[in-house]
Amino acid sequence: MSAPRPLDGITVVSLEHAIAAPFCTRQLADMGARVIKVERPGVGDFARRYDERVRGQASHFIWTNRSKESLTLDLKKPEAGEIMQRLLAEADVLVQNLAPGAAARLGLSFEALSARFPRLIVCDISGYGEGGPYQDKKAYDLLIQSESGFLSVTGTPEDPVKAGCSISDIAAGMYAYSGILNALLLRGKTGRGSRIDVSMLESTVEWMGYPMYYAFEDAPPPPRAGAAHATIYPYGPFPVGDGKTIMLGLQNEREWKVFCDQVLCQPGLATDSRFESNSRRTANRDSLRQLIVQAFAALTIDEVTDRLEAAQIANARVNDMKGVWEHPQLKARDNWREIDSPAGRIPSFLPPAHNNAFRPRMDAVPAVGENTDAVLASLGYAPDDVARLHAAEVV
């Protein structure tokens, strides 16, 4: 028998689509919670059709939906309300990221539910949060990256560039996850549920703390510097002689002197007036970059890496996705498991917070409606009732 997980016995009902809410509830499922994902009959979560890159399945969906049960339910049908009430009577948490106001119109707001289910925790995830002039505004990840100021400090001097993954969705999903854990702890003290209001905008703005304070009281913001650090130098990518790229990360004056001496083999640069402090190196980054590129031009990436490691200078290779799939550190730490999915067995990445007391749940990604009949049976619906609900297209 496996060791108990932190959220064993917790039931989560989720009216979710896209990334933010599914990413949140996948974290809950990893920790042992039973997550019942409510999807539209026939089509399911629209993220199932974002692409077909995982043997015909969508990459976003496979990533965010392992270890869940899929229940199809047409929430606009009258009988769906009774099914939801039965679900919530047994649930600890309701998570939703429907369109603004949709959950309330379905009678699924915290205010509508808390009198009947006083221990229920309700987590609402939206683009801009409840209240304010933007509460009904449509929100997608790229739009929030823009609205939060993230794009203004990311990219090249000529062009802003979005993050290559859905950082605003991920931020909101993780704050929802931690908020739900806090609410469960609070319920343990008070005996009552609570409401969590998570917005993508506020989640991303929290991550923007450094550039916001750097630009405090109308000071100039950090310049866009591509893959390099905007205000520390040399800290960023540099080409080497074999056509590859090394990422450097120098943090202080001691490292700068060692870098000049042992890596560039030009100890005199350490006291060059153009480069004698971080602020001067940042101001003269173009000249310094040229000197570093020239020094690296005759070396392979392995040779540069060996020098950097010997000098204890932080560095990294600029991996593509193939490089990450094959990363030796991830393999050495046994980070991959195989799970079932509608596409068959596929690799899946372990939750990053390794705990020696239990194994995270790593179960299948469900097909649309795969668990509908079993969930309805667990709620007390007889086989004839289930058949009738199917015939009426309620489920």
Side-chain angles (χ1 to χ4, degrees):
M1 183 176 180
S2 61
R5 301 180 180 100
L7 298 184
D8 284 348
I10 297 294
T11 297
V12 179
V13 175
S14 190
L15 309 177
E16 60 180 31
H17 56 244
I19 304 303
F23 191 61
C24 164
T25 57
R26 202 215 75 191
Q27 314 305 312
L28 298 170
D30 288 346
M31 296 299 105
R34 181 192 185 194
V35 176
I36 301 172
K37 181 184 178 80
V38 177
E39 301 190 73
R40 293 172 295 173
V43 295
D45 181 344
F46 58 73
R48 287 182 179 271
R49 289 167 175 77
Y50 276 170
D51 57 56
E52 301 82 31
R53 301 305 293 265
V54 187
R55 299 172 189 165
Q57 306 295 309
S59 52
H60 282 86
F61 192 86
I62 291 291
W63 165 45
T64 58
N65 286 284
R66 69 182 178 219
S67 304
K68 301 180 185 180
E69 301 171 44
S70 173
L71 164 70
T72 51
L73 187 61
D74 185 345
L75 295 172
K76 295 180 181 179
K77 296 287 180 70
E79 285 186 279
E82 173 60 25
I83 296 172
M84 281 298 302
Q85 294 298 308
R86 291 198 195 187
L87 279 172
L88 295 175
E90 299 183 1
D92 298 279
V93 182
L94 170 65
V95 179
Q96 69 86 18
N97 69 331
L98 303 177
R105 290 192 293 272
L106 293 167
L108 298 174
S109 67
F110 176 74
E111 292 74 18
L113 295 172
S114 60
R116 184 171 180 184
F117 309 114
R119 290 177 56 81
L120 183 67
I121 293 162
V122 177
C123 181
D124 299 318
I125 304 173
S126 63
Y128 295 97
E130 183 178 354
Y134 282 39
Q135 74 165 5
D136 296 323
K137 190 176 176 70
K138 281 191 174 182
Y140 302 117
D141 182 85
L142 177 55
L143 306 182
I144 298 297
Q145 287 190 38
S146 179
E147 197 76 46
S148 67
F150 177 86
L151 263 64
S152 75
V153 297
T154 306
T156 67
E158 296 76 26
D159 297 300
V161 176
K162 68 179 287 293
C165 60
S166 305
I167 63 158
S168 294
D169 281 319
I170 295 167
M174 291 307 291
Y175 282 116
Y177 170 51
S178 61
I180 289 167
L181 297 182
N182 288 336
L184 288 168
L185 289 172
L186 183 62
R187 190 180 70 176
K189 297 179 179 180
T190 66
R192 296 192 63 84
S194 53
R195 183 199 176 210
I196 304 157
D197 176 10
V198 178
S199 84
M200 294 166 64
L201 177 64
E202 290 161 353
S203 298
T204 312
V205 167
E206 166 63 17
W207 288 11
M208 295 297 295
Y210 147 64
M212 288 178 67
Y213 280 118
Y214 189 90
F216 188 57
E217 294 183 335
D218 298 323
R224 292 193 298 266
H229 197 287
T231 58
I232 303 174
Y233 204 82
Y235 194 154
F238 293 87
V240 298
D242 58 3
K244 297 181 180 177
T245 300
I246 191 77
M247 185 74 71
L248 302 182
L250 277 74
Q251 292 276 353
N252 54 57
E253 298 312 306
R254 181 192 60 80
E255 290 182 345
W256 166 241
K257 291 177 182 177
V258 173
F259 178 71
C260 293
D261 183 26
Q262 299 183 28
V263 179
L264 298 182
C265 300
Q266 300 178 52
L269 280 180
T271 55
D272 189 310
S273 61
R274 295 172 297 171
F275 313 130
E276 61 186 2
S277 68
N278 175 63
S279 60
R280 294 189 67 80
R281 290 192 294 275
T282 300
N284 294 291
R285 66 168 61 208
D286 291 342
S287 298
L288 180 52
R289 176 178 173 78
Q290 185 176 0
L291 292 170
I292 295 172
V293 171
Q294 288 173 352
F296 287 175
L299 303 172
T300 67
I301 194 166
D302 289 335
E303 290 169 333
V304 173
T305 300
D306 288 345
R307 289 190 186 186
L308 292 165
E309 289 294 312
Q312 297 186 325
I313 300 295
N315 66 89
R317 301 192 182 208
V318 182
N319 280 318
D320 58 13
M321 292 301 96
K322 185 176 187 295
V324 179
W325 276 111
E326 298 174 352
H327 201 291
Q329 181 70 3
L330 300 179
K331 288 184 177 181
R333 282 174 55 80
D334 194 24
N335 273 287
W336 299 101
R337 297 292 181 271
E338 279 206 340
I339 63 171
D340 287 318
S341 78
R345 300 284 286 177
I346 56 172
S348 194
F349 195 66
L350 280 171
H354 304 287
N355 190 307
N356 71 348
F358 66 93
R359 294 180 179 178
R361 186 178 174 196
M362 299 284 286
D363 293 340
V365 176
V368 178
E370 180 177 334
N371 311 102
T372 297
D373 291 2
V375 171
L376 292 175
S378 74
L379 296 176
Y381 286 91
D384 288 348
D385 295 326
V386 175
R388 179 179 55 78
L389 290 169
H390 277 291
E393 298 183 342
V394 177
V395 299

